[in-house]
């Protein structure tokens, strides 16, 4: 794959070799970051952040990544003050922003919007989340976190818990894990099961998959909890029926494997008790911090900056 000017739209566009390459480069970048040798790699370049949905981590970690590389960022604090509010199309917005910046990260509630936007620009465009579809850079930092802890991804037993229907982070993560020799356990309410086509794809790749409603975490190496995505439910009553379906608390973690890690893309709204934060299982804040070297590496790769 040529990385320079590559759009990062879906993790399905990546082979296993390409994912492993990004993880290796992220590790190199983390060393450079910690030794102060990354601070001018992107000097003179500008990242545009186009966020049409709320974000704390994705937007701020991309901004931090760019600034740690010596670059600058532009963007609007709320989508309501962008000209989308006057009816401007995504296509026009990104064509204009291409004249201002060297790389774009976009988040939008409509599935497929990042792919569409990428068709209108020559500068690299990164999907920071499109509706319930994909969140590829989250997946890369998730895999980076797993690899940092276990030194591998193959051979792990991974439980994914919560909203598997609307959660874009779990869709991307599942697509990526289909490249590895893992066991997967999907734990969700009946109404929020993983889409059938994704389960079929895994079966096609000979990945063992168990689907259950019970929060059975025995033998899991990685527990990846997610928020029920209230904003994606067409019917608020359906949300009321499933909210609070799973809470991981001190009692739940008593039964975990000693080496297990508990991950969450965040924000959490009750899925993991704060009492768990001080335990050795809690990896979600480190996971979020890992977004910095991973996004620094990606920004350099797509901008053709060697490191
Ligand atoms: N994990 C994640 O995408 O968080 P934000 O919505 O805060 O960006």
């Amino acid at each position: 794959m040529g990385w320079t000017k590559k759009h990062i739209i879906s993790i399905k566009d990546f082979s296993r070799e390409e994912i492993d390459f990004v993880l290796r480069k992220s590790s190199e970048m983390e060393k450079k970051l910690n030794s102060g040798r990354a601070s001018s790699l992107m000097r003179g370049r500008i990242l545009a952040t186009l966020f049409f949905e709320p974000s704390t981590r994705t937007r701020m970690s991309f901004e931090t990544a760019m600034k740690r590389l010596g670059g600058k960022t532009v963007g609007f604090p709320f989508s309501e003050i962008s000209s989308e509010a006057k009816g401007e199309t995504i296509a026009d917005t990104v064509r204009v922003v291409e004249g201002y910046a060297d790389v774009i990260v976009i988040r939008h509630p409509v599935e497929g919007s990042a792919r569409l936007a990428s068709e209108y620009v020559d500068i690299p465009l990164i999907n920071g989340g499109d509706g319930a579809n994909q969140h590829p850079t989250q997946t890369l930092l998730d895999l980076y976190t797993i690899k940092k802890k276990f030194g591998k991804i193959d051979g792990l037993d991974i439980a994914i818990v919560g909203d598997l229907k609307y959660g874009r982070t779990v869709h991307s993560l599942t697509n990526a894990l289909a490249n590895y020799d893992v066991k997967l356990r999907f734990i969700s309410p009946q109404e929020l099961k993983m889409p059938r086509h994704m389960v079929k794809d895994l079966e096609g790749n000979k990945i063992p998959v168990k689907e259950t409603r019970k929060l059975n975490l025995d033998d899991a190496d990685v527990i990846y909890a997610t928020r029920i995505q209230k904003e994606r439910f067409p019917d608020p009553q359906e949300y009321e029926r499933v909210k609070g379906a799973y809470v991981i608390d001190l009692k739940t973690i008593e039964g975990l494997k000693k080496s297990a890690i508990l991950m969450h893309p965040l924000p959490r709204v009750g899925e993991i008790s704060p009492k768990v934060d001080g335990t050795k299982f809690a990896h979600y804040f480190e996971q979020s911090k890992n977004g910095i070297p991973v996004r620094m590496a990606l920004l350099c790769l797509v901008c053709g900056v060697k490191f």
Side-chain angles (χ1 to χ4, degrees), residues 51 53-61 107 128-129 135 138 141 168-169 224 227 264-267 287 295:
F51 278 66
E53 263 194 349
S55 168
T56 295
R57 277 145 292 273
T58 310
R59 184 214 293 258
M60 288 187 70
S61 64
R107 169 172 288 188
H135 196 348
Q138 175 72 43
L141 76 89
R168 59 189 168 210
T169 63
Y224 192 98
R227 178 176 66 91
H264 192 306
L266 303 177
Q287 176 186 356
R295 289 176 170 134

Side-chain angles (χ1 to χ4, degrees), residues 138-149:
Q138 175 72 43
T139 295
L140 291 164
L141 76 89
D142 292 342
L143 295 176
Y144 185 67
T145 303
I146 295 171
K147 191 113 188 251
K148 244 175 118 172
K149 161 73 183 172

Side-chain angles (χ1 to χ4, degrees), residues 164-166 171 192-200 211:
L164 311 187
K165 179 177 180 182
Y166 296 118
H171 295 161
L192 298 179
K193 285 173 81 172
M194 188 62 80
R196 289 306 82 195
H197 68 91
M198 295 192 64
V199 176
K200 279 210 168 76
E211 292 185 277

Side-chain angles (χ1 to χ4, degrees), residues 21 28 63 128 158 171 185 218-219 233 250 278 284 286 288:
F21 175 73
E28 285 174 29
E63 289 177 352
I158 300 175
H171 295 161
R185 202 178 310 178
D218 295 352
D219 300 323
F233 281 68
L250 290 176
Y284 25 93
E286 186 189 333
S288 164

Side-chain angles (χ1 to χ4, degrees), residues 2-213:
W3 287 92
T4 305
K5 289 198 172 186
K6 181 180 166 52
H7 302 307
I8 311 279
I9 306 299
S10 167
I11 204 73
K12 288 174 87 171
D13 300 335
F14 286 64
S15 66
R16 172 175 172 148
E17 289 68 32
E18 287 159 349
I19 292 173
D20 288 340
F21 175 73
V22 174
L23 303 187
R24 274 199 309 280
K25 294 303 280 181
S26 301
S27 178
E28 285 174 29
M29 183 57 86
E30 187 166 5
K31 289 187 189 104
K32 277 202 156 53
L33 173 65
N34 292 338
S35 63
R37 287 179 294 126
S39 60
S40 58
L41 288 168
M42 291 283 266
R43 186 175 291 157
R45 297 187 201 232
I46 294 177
L47 164 71
T49 56
L50 306 183
F51 278 66
F52 298 95
E53 263 194 349
S55 168
T56 295
R57 277 145 292 273
T58 310
R59 184 214 293 258
M60 288 187 70
S61 64
F62 265 112
E63 289 177 352
T64 303
M66 192 61 177
K67 289 176 179 174
R68 292 266 186 235
L69 290 162
K72 291 192 163 52
T73 64
V74 292
F76 37 80
F78 309 103
S79 60
E80 291 78 7
I81 65 159
S82 79
S83 284
E84 191 196 43
K86 298 182 224 160
E88 186 169 53
T89 62
I90 291 187
D92 280 0
T93 302
V94 293
R95 272 187 287 203
V96 168
V97 171
E98 181 173 28
Y100 305 157
D102 302 287
V103 50
I104 295 173
V105 57
I106 187 167
R107 169 172 288 188
H108 199 281
V110 176
E111 293 185 23
S113 50
R115 178 86 64 198
L116 175 77
S118 72
E119 286 163 9
Y120 290 91
V121 289
D122 287 326
I123 62 171
L125 183 141
I126 301 173
N127 182 5
D130 61 324
N133 185 33
Q134 283 278 316
H135 196 348
T137 65
Q138 175 72 43
T139 295
L140 291 164
L141 76 89
D142 292 342
L143 295 176
Y144 185 67
T145 303
I146 295 171
K147 191 113 188 251
K148 244 175 118 172
K149 161 73 183 172
F150 294 100
K152 62 177 188 176
I153 296 168
D154 286 321
L156 298 178
D157 186 329
I158 300 175
I160 305 183
V161 183
D163 183 349
L164 311 187
K165 179 177 180 182
Y166 296 118
R168 59 189 168 210
T169 63
V170 294
H171 295 161
S172 287
L173 181 61
T174 300
N175 289 147
L177 290 171
N179 292 295
Y180 294 87
D181 179 17
V182 290
K183 276 193 205 165
L184 290 179
R185 202 178 310 178
F186 294 143
I187 302 171
S188 73
Q190 181 66 20
E191 300 88 331
L192 298 179
K193 285 173 81 172
M194 188 62 80
R196 289 306 82 195
H197 68 91
M198 295 192 64
V199 176
K200 279 210 168 76
D201 284 354
L202 291 166
E203 287 165 354
N205 280 15
K206 306 268 184 290
I207 308 283
V209 179
K210 258 195 222 160
E211 292 185 277
T212 165
R213 270 187 279 181

